[in-house]
Amino acid sequence: MIPHCPLMAVQDPLPTFLIGVGEAGIEILESVKDVVPEEEAENFDYFAIDSQNEFLNKSSIEKQLYLQQPDTLVERQKERFPFLAEDVNFGVKGAERQRPVGRFKLDNPDQPSFSDNFDTLENHIRRFRQEHNSDLIQQNKHINIILVNSLSGGTGSGTYPLLTAIIHYLAEKIRDNNQMFAYFAGFGIVSEFDVGREVKDLPGDDGRYYANSYAALRDLQRLLNSGDGENLRLPVHSRRITKDSEGHGTSDSIEQALEENAFEFEFPPFNDYFLVGVDEDLIHGERSFVGNERYDQVVDNQVAESIYTLAKHGQAMENISGESDEDSRVGTIIETEVRVPHEKLVDYHETKQKIERLETLLFAGQGSPDFFDTDDLESDSDLNEELSTIKYLVRNPTEVFETMEKERADEKKDDIEEQIDSTFGGGLNVVNRTPEDLNDLIENVEESHDLRVIPYVLDEVEKRINEQEPTVRQNREDTVNDMWKHYELSSHPEYGDVSSVTQRMRNLQDFLREQIEETREELETADESWWDGKPGFRGTREKLEDRLSDRKEALEKLQEAINDYESVQALDEAISEKRSDIERRLKKKKRDLDDARDALNRLEEELTEPLSGRRLAEMPITEEAFEDVSVDKLNNEFTDIKAYLNEGWVDHDDFKSALARRFERGYEDEEKLVLQVAEWEDINDEIADQYRALGGEETMTYIEYNEVNEEVVEFDKVQIGVSESSFNRFTDDRHDPFGVKFVTFVRTGPIEILQHYRQLQKYAEEGDLDELVERRWGGDHRLAFAYPEWYGRDIQRRFNVSQTIELPFPPEPDLEFVELDVENQGELKHEFVKRNGVVSYLYQGAKWENYRDGSTEFNGWKSKLDEVGIGWPYLQELSPPPEDKRHWLVGNVEWDEIVNEYKIALEDQEGVKVEFMEMETKDEATE
Ligand SMILES: Nc1nc2c(ncn2[C@@H]2O[C@H](COP(=O)(O)OP(=O)(O)OP(=O)(O)O)[C@@H](O)[C@H]2O)c(=O)[nH]1
Ligand SMILES: [Mg+2]
């Protein structure tokens, strides 16, 4: 059981500036945006950096930096960038898992150049700080800067040390200039695995993830140990080129940030660095579900919630997070939640309502006595039954009213009649209506009633049409036959040879049109005759004019009869179309009903037996909650966890167990694989001492919930013992009333103590990492290193770093000054060669404890060789064979020749060009 812990006061989150780099970094920033409540949004700002434009384009984050493919001929540049191996490939998209390419895209001379990128970042951070100045001047306040990226890709992982250098510098500047604390934390997503696995069984199908993780973790180790005796230097290579050639990117600020084109770390840059493991099998391919959440969401939400908690309770965080100048620890985070699935229950009841609505709509006819006698309904299957119901409903529209109370049904019918009357009227009115009128009517009725009364409307309209149809049909027939007779078309040579009414109708039309046309032509040419204009007589023109108007009248009359007939036909057709339309729409409703029923079943399952996720636990809901409960009641009365517990819809005991389990999860080893400490017998004393000096492992849990739930959030079921100082409870009225959140921060160190790190190191040493990158990097994992300057020749050699160093030319050593525990001169010479005397002398010069010469200033080559990563064992390795040295001792070979052999070996074997400076002896100097 955890001891009682006083509640903490709530505060606004501290101003927090987040920088997300690469796909993983940007995704996580998006999750933070979702997690931060709207009313606190202004305390957060986001900056997305990627070398892949498509990710930036689809991101909702406005502040962006696109690391472009540099224009300058990359081939020409390579030799000027010691971290670019000769065979490095620049693809078009992003850095394609190549860390050195990521670094180059940030540190390159083109636009945006490194200096431009520096300025952009500085401006964003400065502006953010200024915007929050008024909050910040209040006591105890500080600003957070958080860098998020994966360690196993190319862009985020390859740029993070250099970005860290910039941010570290800017954070220091804020601390110095503003008497304000700037907290700087990093979150690194790292490929996780069970320690001890064969490399071929590691998750995921791209071995570069592991090589990159290893190199990035080694960089992290360098960063965390910086200043321990020696400052860590991070050179910016593009600046040499920029300044030489074009002269841009030389703002004062960057000049101040750099010492001879390099950042210097006098102490570890991070206040905290958190490693977050991902399983490459689960995060790729088909998105895997872990219980109730997708795996990538689990990880992203965990990080997002932790960042939010860090921003919100940063004040307390300061007490345990690192003092940046001495702490070289790393951490991880575990976030869990217990929730009452209120939203899902609301959803359940809304779905249930929807189903009821759809059922009434679809099965209105089921109440009628002869419903089940229908032939269509012989099949037993529900599906056929329901589909038949729809057909039945459409064909038997009055059934709809059978399921209603008589009074209501009558009222409905009356109203529908009225609407039909006002659109269609009765009697001959129908004849003048169009299908558009029918559409309007249907729309109006559907709006004031619903879909299922439409077949009734169609029936009613059809009835009226049917009443009129015989009259209209008879009228057309009579008109045609009368005219046929009148114009004696039966004997017409061209038109007379048909018998059906429709054919006769068409011929009559043609005949009349032809007559009209001919008469018009005749009228145009006919001269006025003597009889024209004389009363009682009809002249030629008058006769023609009479004929014309007779034919016109006839045609009009005919046309009218035809139109009446056709409009009735058109309405009839529209009605059958509408019937099938309604049937289609009802079938669609039927599908909606099926979907809703499925959803309801799923919801019920999720609510009664929720899947427990790794992050999120949802409380099961009891059966009573599924019965007759209105959505309104849910929304008004079930507003927090307490209400659910009081009503008995969630079992209080189960709830307390869930709280205990989620709390304990923060303390379980399997939840913090990347931070597991190696077996004690594998740890050497020095590391063990460091571990103890740093305070071993520290755990701090934040428990957060809404204050309305205070009386029901209890921890009496917690089984593990934890000290009072390792957790805090926070309540407020802003927190989600349906959830309790646990965020656990674990810190330990040094990084060498971690089993995960040591396993990667072992893979590297035993050639397993090389095997993993067989296909992509020709079996050389060293290509994962993007900061070879920080490592020895073993790594640098892969990059063919060509450098020139100036070495003092060593004065010939005199055996007189050599002090060894031997008696005679012959033995001394022998021992001198045997004990690497020459190498020791060259390496340490007069500082070598066995050499006592006060007359030269030769202090050895050590410091110069360190700059190019050549340590004692390398120098020893490239020494000329002992015989040569023996020859020199006996005077057969000149000292100059021996020294020259070293020069040649350094050039040939290590690619380091040596230039000798002449040494002054003390005597010369004083003369
Ligand atoms: N948490 C989390 N991890 C992710 C996500 N997408 C990719 N990763 C992990 O991130 C690593 C790959 O790094 P990315 O962020 O894709 O790489 P990048 O920085 O964009 O670099 P390049 O694409 O190689 O230029 C792998 O370990 C993935 O498992 C994500 O959405 N969330
Ligand atoms: Mg990417």
Side-chain angles (χ1 to χ4, degrees), residues 815 818 820 826-840 848 880-890:
L815 284 189
V818 178
L820 293 174
E827 201 182 334
L828 178 68
K829 286 185 182 179
H830 178 73
E831 281 292 306
F832 184 69
V833 173
K834 199 176 110 191
R835 292 198 198 178
N836 288 312
V838 175
V839 192
S840 303
W848 181 28
E883 296 85 69
D884 292 11
K885 295 180 202 159
R886 220 170 265 127
H887 281 306
W888 158 67
L889 275 179
V890 298

PDB file of all heavy atoms in Angstrom, residues 815 818 820 826-840 848 880-890:
ATOM      1  N   LEU A 815      70.045   7.815 -23.853  1.00  0.00           N
ATOM      2  CA  LEU A 815      69.828   6.777 -22.842  1.00  0.00           C
ATOM      3  C   LEU A 815      70.273   7.214 -21.452  1.00  0.00           C
ATOM      4  O   LEU A 815      69.822   6.680 -20.446  1.00  0.00           O
ATOM      5  CB  LEU A 815      70.551   5.483 -23.233  1.00  0.00           C
ATOM      6  CG  LEU A 815      69.890   4.643 -24.326  1.00  0.00           C
ATOM      7  CD1 LEU A 815      70.590   3.290 -24.440  1.00  0.00           C
ATOM      8  CD2 LEU A 815      68.407   4.419 -24.024  1.00  0.00           C
ATOM      9  N   VAL A 818      67.392   8.021 -19.401  1.00  0.00           N
ATOM     10  CA  VAL A 818      66.377   6.983 -19.181  1.00  0.00           C
ATOM     11  C   VAL A 818      66.616   6.317 -17.842  1.00  0.00           C
ATOM     12  O   VAL A 818      67.738   5.957 -17.517  1.00  0.00           O
ATOM     13  CB  VAL A 818      66.419   5.930 -20.312  1.00  0.00           C
ATOM     14  CG1 VAL A 818      65.406   4.824 -20.056  1.00  0.00           C
ATOM     15  CG2 VAL A 818      66.123   6.604 -21.651  1.00  0.00           C
ATOM     16  N   LEU A 820      65.588   3.234 -15.765  1.00  0.00           N
ATOM     17  CA  LEU A 820      64.912   1.949 -15.622  1.00  0.00           C
ATOM     18  C   LEU A 820      65.608   1.186 -14.504  1.00  0.00           C
ATOM     19  O   LEU A 820      66.767   1.452 -14.196  1.00  0.00           O
ATOM     20  CB  LEU A 820      64.990   1.139 -16.933  1.00  0.00           C
ATOM     21  CG  LEU A 820      64.223   1.682 -18.146  1.00  0.00           C
ATOM     22  CD1 LEU A 820      64.545   0.843 -19.378  1.00  0.00           C
ATOM     23  CD2 LEU A 820      62.725   1.693 -17.895  1.00  0.00           C
ATOM     24  N   GLY A 826      74.158  -2.271 -21.297  1.00  0.00           N
ATOM     25  CA  GLY A 826      73.684  -3.236 -22.296  1.00  0.00           C
ATOM     26  C   GLY A 826      72.268  -3.707 -21.987  1.00  0.00           C
ATOM     27  O   GLY A 826      71.399  -3.740 -22.847  1.00  0.00           O
ATOM     28  N   GLU A 827      72.065  -3.986 -20.743  1.00  0.00           N
ATOM     29  CA  GLU A 827      70.738  -4.432 -20.324  1.00  0.00           C
ATOM     30  C   GLU A 827      69.707  -3.323 -20.512  1.00  0.00           C
ATOM     31  O   GLU A 827      68.558  -3.556 -20.895  1.00  0.00           O
ATOM     32  CB  GLU A 827      70.793  -4.868 -18.854  1.00  0.00           C
ATOM     33  CG  GLU A 827      69.664  -5.800 -18.475  1.00  0.00           C
ATOM     34  CD  GLU A 827      69.732  -6.156 -16.992  1.00  0.00           C
ATOM     35  OE1 GLU A 827      70.853  -6.106 -16.408  1.00  0.00           O
ATOM     36  OE2 GLU A 827      68.689  -6.443 -16.424  1.00  0.00           O
ATOM     37  N   LEU A 828      70.156  -2.101 -20.241  1.00  0.00           N
ATOM     38  CA  LEU A 828      69.260  -0.944 -20.378  1.00  0.00           C
ATOM     39  C   LEU A 828      68.743  -0.815 -21.806  1.00  0.00           C
ATOM     40  O   LEU A 828      67.544  -0.671 -22.047  1.00  0.00           O
ATOM     41  CB  LEU A 828      69.993   0.339 -19.953  1.00  0.00           C
ATOM     42  CG  LEU A 828      69.180   1.623 -20.092  1.00  0.00           C
ATOM     43  CD1 LEU A 828      68.023   1.670 -19.108  1.00  0.00           C
ATOM     44  CD2 LEU A 828      70.066   2.839 -19.908  1.00  0.00           C
ATOM     45  N   LYS A 829      69.673  -0.917 -22.745  1.00  0.00           N
ATOM     46  CA  LYS A 829      69.287  -0.805 -24.161  1.00  0.00           C
ATOM     47  C   LYS A 829      68.257  -1.883 -24.521  1.00  0.00           C
ATOM     48  O   LYS A 829      67.253  -1.625 -25.177  1.00  0.00           O
ATOM     49  CB  LYS A 829      70.510  -0.947 -25.058  1.00  0.00           C
ATOM     50  CG  LYS A 829      71.405   0.271 -25.050  1.00  0.00           C
ATOM     51  CD  LYS A 829      72.531   0.098 -26.047  1.00  0.00           C
ATOM     52  CE  LYS A 829      73.441   1.318 -25.975  1.00  0.00           C
ATOM     53  NZ  LYS A 829      74.576   1.199 -26.894  1.00  0.00           N
ATOM     54  N   HIS A 830      68.571  -3.077 -24.084  1.00  0.00           N
ATOM     55  CA  HIS A 830      67.688  -4.198 -24.384  1.00  0.00           C
ATOM     56  C   HIS A 830      66.274  -3.947 -23.816  1.00  0.00           C
ATOM     57  O   HIS A 830      65.274  -4.072 -24.509  1.00  0.00           O
ATOM     58  CB  HIS A 830      68.287  -5.464 -23.760  1.00  0.00           C
ATOM     59  CG  HIS A 830      67.442  -6.680 -23.967  1.00  0.00           C
ATOM     60  ND1 HIS A 830      67.333  -7.299 -25.178  1.00  0.00           N
ATOM     61  CD2 HIS A 830      66.640  -7.362 -23.101  1.00  0.00           C
ATOM     62  CE1 HIS A 830      66.516  -8.319 -25.072  1.00  0.00           C
ATOM     63  NE2 HIS A 830      66.068  -8.380 -23.801  1.00  0.00           N
ATOM     64  N   GLU A 831      66.258  -3.553 -22.566  1.00  0.00           N
ATOM     65  CA  GLU A 831      64.978  -3.281 -21.907  1.00  0.00           C
ATOM     66  C   GLU A 831      64.235  -2.122 -22.573  1.00  0.00           C
ATOM     67  O   GLU A 831      63.025  -2.133 -22.718  1.00  0.00           O
ATOM     68  CB  GLU A 831      65.206  -2.932 -20.420  1.00  0.00           C
ATOM     69  CG  GLU A 831      65.434  -4.126 -19.546  1.00  0.00           C
ATOM     70  CD  GLU A 831      64.187  -4.988 -19.423  1.00  0.00           C
ATOM     71  OE1 GLU A 831      63.112  -4.450 -19.045  1.00  0.00           O
ATOM     72  OE2 GLU A 831      64.267  -6.210 -19.726  1.00  0.00           O
ATOM     73  N   PHE A 832      65.000  -1.117 -22.959  1.00  0.00           N
ATOM     74  CA  PHE A 832      64.411   0.084 -23.571  1.00  0.00           C
ATOM     75  C   PHE A 832      63.608  -0.271 -24.819  1.00  0.00           C
ATOM     76  O   PHE A 832      62.467   0.161 -25.004  1.00  0.00           O
ATOM     77  CB  PHE A 832      65.537   1.075 -23.912  1.00  0.00           C
ATOM     78  CG  PHE A 832      65.042   2.381 -24.464  1.00  0.00           C
ATOM     79  CD1 PHE A 832      64.357   3.280 -23.651  1.00  0.00           C
ATOM     80  CD2 PHE A 832      65.259   2.720 -25.797  1.00  0.00           C
ATOM     81  CE1 PHE A 832      63.912   4.491 -24.172  1.00  0.00           C
ATOM     82  CE2 PHE A 832      64.799   3.926 -26.310  1.00  0.00           C
ATOM     83  CZ  PHE A 832      64.138   4.819 -25.490  1.00  0.00           C
ATOM     84  N   VAL A 833      64.183  -1.108 -25.618  1.00  0.00           N
ATOM     85  CA  VAL A 833      63.488  -1.513 -26.831  1.00  0.00           C
ATOM     86  C   VAL A 833      62.317  -2.419 -26.477  1.00  0.00           C
ATOM     87  O   VAL A 833      61.194  -2.262 -26.961  1.00  0.00           O
ATOM     88  CB  VAL A 833      64.460  -2.215 -27.800  1.00  0.00           C
ATOM     89  CG1 VAL A 833      63.699  -2.793 -28.987  1.00  0.00           C
ATOM     90  CG2 VAL A 833      65.510  -1.233 -28.283  1.00  0.00           C
ATOM     91  N   LYS A 834      62.585  -3.349 -25.565  1.00  0.00           N
ATOM     92  CA  LYS A 834      61.562  -4.326 -25.211  1.00  0.00           C
ATOM     93  C   LYS A 834      60.322  -3.655 -24.603  1.00  0.00           C
ATOM     94  O   LYS A 834      59.190  -4.037 -24.828  1.00  0.00           O
ATOM     95  CB  LYS A 834      62.166  -5.334 -24.218  1.00  0.00           C
ATOM     96  CG  LYS A 834      61.378  -6.635 -24.115  1.00  0.00           C
ATOM     97  CD  LYS A 834      62.056  -7.622 -23.196  1.00  0.00           C
ATOM     98  CE  LYS A 834      61.236  -7.775 -21.925  1.00  0.00           C
ATOM     99  NZ  LYS A 834      61.967  -8.513 -20.887  1.00  0.00           N
ATOM    100  N   ARG A 835      60.611  -2.639 -23.818  1.00  0.00           N
ATOM    101  CA  ARG A 835      59.481  -1.981 -23.137  1.00  0.00           C
ATOM    102  C   ARG A 835      58.863  -0.839 -23.941  1.00  0.00           C
ATOM    103  O   ARG A 835      58.339   0.116 -23.381  1.00  0.00           O
ATOM    104  CB  ARG A 835      59.960  -1.388 -21.818  1.00  0.00           C
ATOM    105  CG  ARG A 835      60.335  -2.416 -20.794  1.00  0.00           C
ATOM    106  CD  ARG A 835      60.362  -1.758 -19.470  1.00  0.00           C
ATOM    107  NE  ARG A 835      61.105  -2.553 -18.514  1.00  0.00           N
ATOM    108  CZ  ARG A 835      61.300  -2.156 -17.270  1.00  0.00           C
ATOM    109  NH1 ARG A 835      60.856  -0.972 -16.870  1.00  0.00           N
ATOM    110  NH2 ARG A 835      61.968  -2.913 -16.439  1.00  0.00           N
ATOM    111  N   ASN A 836      59.006  -0.845 -25.233  1.00  0.00           N
ATOM    112  CA  ASN A 836      58.408   0.217 -26.048  1.00  0.00           C
ATOM    113  C   ASN A 836      58.960   1.595 -25.684  1.00  0.00           C
ATOM    114  O   ASN A 836      58.239   2.577 -25.681  1.00  0.00           O
ATOM    115  CB  ASN A 836      56.884   0.269 -25.871  1.00  0.00           C
ATOM    116  CG  ASN A 836      56.203  -0.903 -26.538  1.00  0.00           C
ATOM    117  OD1 ASN A 836      56.491  -1.202 -27.691  1.00  0.00           O
ATOM    118  ND2 ASN A 836      55.354  -1.578 -25.794  1.00  0.00           N
ATOM    119  N   GLY A 837      60.187   1.634 -25.368  1.00  0.00           N
ATOM    120  CA  GLY A 837      60.774   2.904 -24.950  1.00  0.00           C
ATOM    121  C   GLY A 837      60.587   4.014 -25.966  1.00  0.00           C
ATOM    122  O   GLY A 837      60.212   5.132 -25.612  1.00  0.00           O
ATOM    123  N   VAL A 838      60.787   3.668 -27.264  1.00  0.00           N
ATOM    124  CA  VAL A 838      60.686   4.717 -28.279  1.00  0.00           C
ATOM    125  C   VAL A 838      59.256   5.266 -28.353  1.00  0.00           C
ATOM    126  O   VAL A 838      59.037   6.478 -28.360  1.00  0.00           O
ATOM    127  CB  VAL A 838      61.147   4.188 -29.657  1.00  0.00           C
ATOM    128  CG1 VAL A 838      60.920   5.238 -30.740  1.00  0.00           C
ATOM    129  CG2 VAL A 838      62.620   3.794 -29.600  1.00  0.00           C
ATOM    130  N   VAL A 839      58.288   4.344 -28.371  1.00  0.00           N
ATOM    131  CA  VAL A 839      56.891   4.784 -28.465  1.00  0.00           C
ATOM    132  C   VAL A 839      56.505   5.624 -27.248  1.00  0.00           C
ATOM    133  O   VAL A 839      55.875   6.674 -27.366  1.00  0.00           O
ATOM    134  CB  VAL A 839      55.920   3.585 -28.588  1.00  0.00           C
ATOM    135  CG1 VAL A 839      54.548   4.059 -28.978  1.00  0.00           C
ATOM    136  CG2 VAL A 839      56.428   2.588 -29.583  1.00  0.00           C
ATOM    137  N   SER A 840      56.927   5.151 -26.080  1.00  0.00           N
ATOM    138  CA  SER A 840      56.584   5.899 -24.866  1.00  0.00           C
ATOM    139  C   SER A 840      57.176   7.300 -24.901  1.00  0.00           C
ATOM    140  O   SER A 840      56.525   8.273 -24.537  1.00  0.00           O
ATOM    141  CB  SER A 840      57.119   5.184 -23.628  1.00  0.00           C
ATOM    142  OG  SER A 840      56.617   3.884 -23.573  1.00  0.00           O
ATOM    143  N   TRP A 848      57.175  11.560 -19.781  1.00  0.00           N
ATOM    144  CA  TRP A 848      57.305  10.110 -19.492  1.00  0.00           C
ATOM    145  C   TRP A 848      58.092   9.964 -18.198  1.00  0.00           C
ATOM    146  O   TRP A 848      59.190  10.510 -18.047  1.00  0.00           O
ATOM    147  CB  TRP A 848      58.005   9.428 -20.675  1.00  0.00           C
ATOM    148  CG  TRP A 848      58.186   7.948 -20.523  1.00  0.00           C
ATOM    149  CD1 TRP A 848      57.415   7.101 -19.822  1.00  0.00           C
ATOM    150  CD2 TRP A 848      59.253   7.162 -21.068  1.00  0.00           C
ATOM    151  NE1 TRP A 848      57.871   5.818 -19.910  1.00  0.00           N
ATOM    152  CE2 TRP A 848      59.015   5.822 -20.681  1.00  0.00           C
ATOM    153  CE3 TRP A 848      60.372   7.458 -21.883  1.00  0.00           C
ATOM    154  CZ2 TRP A 848      59.863   4.773 -21.040  1.00  0.00           C
ATOM    155  CZ3 TRP A 848      61.195   6.412 -22.247  1.00  0.00           C
ATOM    156  CH2 TRP A 848      60.946   5.063 -21.829  1.00  0.00           C
ATOM    157  N   PRO A 880      57.713   0.948 -36.038  1.00  0.00           N
ATOM    158  CA  PRO A 880      58.623   0.088 -36.816  1.00  0.00           C
ATOM    159  C   PRO A 880      59.048  -1.124 -35.976  1.00  0.00           C
ATOM    160  O   PRO A 880      58.960  -1.068 -34.745  1.00  0.00           O
ATOM    161  CB  PRO A 880      59.824   0.993 -37.093  1.00  0.00           C
ATOM    162  CG  PRO A 880      59.534   2.313 -36.507  1.00  0.00           C
ATOM    163  CD  PRO A 880      58.277   2.253 -35.744  1.00  0.00           C
ATOM    164  N   PRO A 881      59.472  -2.186 -36.613  1.00  0.00           N
ATOM    165  CA  PRO A 881      59.836  -3.396 -35.864  1.00  0.00           C
ATOM    166  C   PRO A 881      61.019  -3.144 -34.915  1.00  0.00           C
ATOM    167  O   PRO A 881      61.849  -2.273 -35.187  1.00  0.00           O
ATOM    168  CB  PRO A 881      60.226  -4.400 -36.958  1.00  0.00           C
ATOM    169  CG  PRO A 881      60.464  -3.592 -38.174  1.00  0.00           C
ATOM    170  CD  PRO A 881      59.655  -2.346 -38.058  1.00  0.00           C
ATOM    171  N   PRO A 882      61.122  -3.905 -33.805  1.00  0.00           N
ATOM    172  CA  PRO A 882      62.165  -3.695 -32.791  1.00  0.00           C
ATOM    173  C   PRO A 882      63.596  -3.751 -33.373  1.00  0.00           C
ATOM    174  O   PRO A 882      64.467  -3.030 -32.915  1.00  0.00           O
ATOM    175  CB  PRO A 882      61.959  -4.836 -31.804  1.00  0.00           C
ATOM    176  CG  PRO A 882      60.552  -5.264 -31.995  1.00  0.00           C
ATOM    177  CD  PRO A 882      60.187  -4.960 -33.402  1.00  0.00           C
ATOM    178  N   GLU A 883      63.788  -4.572 -34.444  1.00  0.00           N
ATOM    179  CA  GLU A 883      65.144  -4.655 -35.020  1.00  0.00           C
ATOM    180  C   GLU A 883      65.634  -3.284 -35.472  1.00  0.00           C
ATOM    181  O   GLU A 883      66.760  -2.896 -35.232  1.00  0.00           O
ATOM    182  CB  GLU A 883      65.205  -5.577 -36.247  1.00  0.00           C
ATOM    183  CG  GLU A 883      64.895  -7.016 -35.969  1.00  0.00           C
ATOM    184  CD  GLU A 883      63.395  -7.226 -35.999  1.00  0.00           C
ATOM    185  OE1 GLU A 883      62.795  -7.128 -37.090  1.00  0.00           O
ATOM    186  OE2 GLU A 883      62.808  -7.425 -34.899  1.00  0.00           O
ATOM    187  N   ASP A 884      64.742  -2.529 -36.122  1.00  0.00           N
ATOM    188  CA  ASP A 884      65.129  -1.205 -36.619  1.00  0.00           C
ATOM    189  C   ASP A 884      65.614  -0.329 -35.469  1.00  0.00           C
ATOM    190  O   ASP A 884      66.568   0.424 -35.580  1.00  0.00           O
ATOM    191  CB  ASP A 884      63.943  -0.494 -37.288  1.00  0.00           C
ATOM    192  CG  ASP A 884      63.542  -1.182 -38.588  1.00  0.00           C
ATOM    193  OD1 ASP A 884      64.044  -2.300 -38.834  1.00  0.00           O
ATOM    194  OD2 ASP A 884      62.718  -0.608 -39.342  1.00  0.00           O
ATOM    195  N   LYS A 885      64.872  -0.460 -34.358  1.00  0.00           N
ATOM    196  CA  LYS A 885      65.205   0.389 -33.217  1.00  0.00           C
ATOM    197  C   LYS A 885      66.542  -0.044 -32.611  1.00  0.00           C
ATOM    198  O   LYS A 885      67.352   0.768 -32.178  1.00  0.00           O
ATOM    199  CB  LYS A 885      64.095   0.316 -32.171  1.00  0.00           C
ATOM    200  CG  LYS A 885      62.790   0.885 -32.697  1.00  0.00           C
ATOM    201  CD  LYS A 885      61.728   0.800 -31.627  1.00  0.00           C
ATOM    202  CE  LYS A 885      60.335   0.832 -32.224  1.00  0.00           C
ATOM    203  NZ  LYS A 885      59.347   0.270 -31.297  1.00  0.00           N
ATOM    204  N   ARG A 886      66.743  -1.373 -32.630  1.00  0.00           N
ATOM    205  CA  ARG A 886      68.018  -1.868 -32.115  1.00  0.00           C
ATOM    206  C   ARG A 886      69.162  -1.342 -32.990  1.00  0.00           C
ATOM    207  O   ARG A 886      70.200  -0.913 -32.491  1.00  0.00           O
ATOM    208  CB  ARG A 886      67.995  -3.399 -32.070  1.00  0.00           C
ATOM    209  CG  ARG A 886      68.659  -3.956 -30.825  1.00  0.00           C
ATOM    210  CD  ARG A 886      68.411  -5.428 -30.669  1.00  0.00           C
ATOM    211  NE  ARG A 886      67.271  -5.708 -29.799  1.00  0.00           N
ATOM    212  CZ  ARG A 886      66.245  -6.468 -30.125  1.00  0.00           C
ATOM    213  NH1 ARG A 886      66.173  -7.013 -31.332  1.00  0.00           N
ATOM    214  NH2 ARG A 886      65.269  -6.676 -29.268  1.00  0.00           N
ATOM    215  N   HIS A 887      68.942  -1.316 -34.287  1.00  0.00           N
ATOM    216  CA  HIS A 887      69.953  -0.783 -35.214  1.00  0.00           C
ATOM    217  C   HIS A 887      70.282   0.658 -34.882  1.00  0.00           C
ATOM    218  O   HIS A 887      71.430   1.088 -34.918  1.00  0.00           O
ATOM    219  CB  HIS A 887      69.458  -0.863 -36.661  1.00  0.00           C
ATOM    220  CG  HIS A 887      69.581  -2.227 -37.263  1.00  0.00           C
ATOM    221  ND1 HIS A 887      70.762  -2.925 -37.294  1.00  0.00           N
ATOM    222  CD2 HIS A 887      68.649  -3.033 -37.842  1.00  0.00           C
ATOM    223  CE1 HIS A 887      70.569  -4.105 -37.871  1.00  0.00           C
ATOM    224  NE2 HIS A 887      69.272  -4.205 -38.207  1.00  0.00           N
ATOM    225  N   TRP A 888      69.250   1.403 -34.557  1.00  0.00           N
ATOM    226  CA  TRP A 888      69.481   2.821 -34.191  1.00  0.00           C
ATOM    227  C   TRP A 888      70.303   2.904 -32.907  1.00  0.00           C
ATOM    228  O   TRP A 888      71.270   3.662 -32.811  1.00  0.00           O
ATOM    229  CB  TRP A 888      68.130   3.533 -34.014  1.00  0.00           C
ATOM    230  CG  TRP A 888      68.210   4.761 -33.164  1.00  0.00           C
ATOM    231  CD1 TRP A 888      68.854   5.918 -33.464  1.00  0.00           C
ATOM    232  CD2 TRP A 888      67.672   4.925 -31.838  1.00  0.00           C
ATOM    233  NE1 TRP A 888      68.762   6.809 -32.452  1.00  0.00           N
ATOM    234  CE2 TRP A 888      68.022   6.237 -31.424  1.00  0.00           C
ATOM    235  CE3 TRP A 888      66.923   4.108 -30.978  1.00  0.00           C
ATOM    236  CZ2 TRP A 888      67.647   6.730 -30.160  1.00  0.00           C
ATOM    237  CZ3 TRP A 888      66.546   4.620 -29.752  1.00  0.00           C
ATOM    238  CH2 TRP A 888      66.898   5.898 -29.337  1.00  0.00           C
ATOM    239  N   LEU A 889      69.945   2.054 -31.940  1.00  0.00           N
ATOM    240  CA  LEU A 889      70.645   2.101 -30.662  1.00  0.00           C
ATOM    241  C   LEU A 889      72.143   1.815 -30.798  1.00  0.00           C
ATOM    242  O   LEU A 889      72.952   2.403 -30.100  1.00  0.00           O
ATOM    243  CB  LEU A 889      70.019   1.112 -29.668  1.00  0.00           C
ATOM    244  CG  LEU A 889      68.796   1.635 -28.891  1.00  0.00           C
ATOM    245  CD1 LEU A 889      68.274   0.557 -27.967  1.00  0.00           C
ATOM    246  CD2 LEU A 889      69.165   2.881 -28.079  1.00  0.00           C
ATOM    247  N   VAL A 890      72.444   0.932 -31.749  1.00  0.00           N
ATOM    248  CA  VAL A 890      73.867   0.625 -31.901  1.00  0.00           C
ATOM    249  C   VAL A 890      74.536   1.526 -32.939  1.00  0.00           C
ATOM    250  O   VAL A 890      75.687   1.342 -33.296  1.00  0.00           O
ATOM    251  CB  VAL A 890      74.113  -0.870 -32.249  1.00  0.00           C
ATOM    252  CG1 VAL A 890      73.618  -1.765 -31.124  1.00  0.00           C
ATOM    253  CG2 VAL A 890      73.440  -1.234 -33.570  1.00  0.00           C
TER     254      VAL A 890
END
